[in-house]
Amino acid sequence: MGTPPFIIVAIDGGAASGKSSTSRLLAERFNLLHVDTGSFYRQLTSELLRCSVAYTDITAIQSALTNLQLTTRLNGRSAQMLIGGQPAGDEIRGQQINANVSHYAAIPAVRAALLAYQRGQVDVAKQHGFRGLVMEGRDIGSVIFPDADFRFFLHADPIERAKRRAAEGRQDSIAERDRLDTSRKNAPLVVPSGATDIDSTFLTLEQVVEKLAALIAAKIT
Ligand code: DC
């Protein structure tokens, strides 16, 4: 018996659709590196705001992004991005970032700055002995890994998603972020053709995970 083939699981979906909890549990179940690309866009947004670079100032954004030093360290099974050696702070989950992140994420230069870094997570996963990786975001199955072994898209009713955020005690601009993420020209939020579409509105987290895990297990064991 040789080493089992490396697997890539892509999970896309709108804000608060359950991607992170699902991805974390799948990472544990199948020994995968968990990569939350939304946290990368949040961290970059935080950095640009810290440098007072407005999302309307494309020239300033391009210059701030040159020489960006992006490295990775592990936080449990999750990939943590470091910018100039610094990890993200708790502020990336706050309302200021929620209100700004989709504006910055719509800018091609911002997406380009993260493209190779995201694909490079395959090497990080291999170096650390993971069996594969599960990457969550908006364009993973469409742009980052269109040939992923598994491509899932999670849907959930907007009212249910707002309830989930409220239950976590967090404020979020769910509808506005979805509107911006879906309507942008560059790598919009779409259900990639051929992806497995799952509506989690009436499912518990465990039921969603079981559904995805069964599909993965059926193909890899
Ligand atoms: O997954 P999240 O809600 O934490 O993502 C925050 C924002 O980052 C999201 O509203 C849009 C942007 N994003 C993106 O444009 N592409 C990705 N692959 C992941 C996130």
Side-chain angles (χ1 to χ4, degrees), residues 15 19 36-39 41-42 93 101-102 105 111 118 136-140 165 177 181 184:
K19 300 183 302 294
D36 171 6
T37 62
S39 74
Y41 282 95
R42 288 170 177 276
R93 302 284 158 198
V101 62
S102 293
R111 305 200 72 78
Q118 291 171 96
E136 49 159 315
R138 302 294 186 289
D139 61 343
I140 311 307
R165 273 291 185 268
R177 286 205 286 131
D181 296 343
R184 70 180 174 225

Side-chain angles (χ1 to χ4, degrees), residues 6-10 122 132-135 140 145 147-151:
F6 188 87
I7 60 164
I8 298 183
V9 181
V122 168
L133 65 77
V134 53
M135 183 174 281
I140 311 307
F145 292 123
D147 297 325
D149 302 276
F150 301 93
R151 295 182 305 150

Side-chain angles (χ1 to χ4, degrees), residues 1 18 50 58 83 88 91 93 109 122 145 166 173 202:
M1 292 269 290
R50 192 183 65 77
I58 305 296
I83 301 183
E91 83 289 347
R93 302 284 158 198
V122 168
F145 292 123
S173 325
F202 302 109

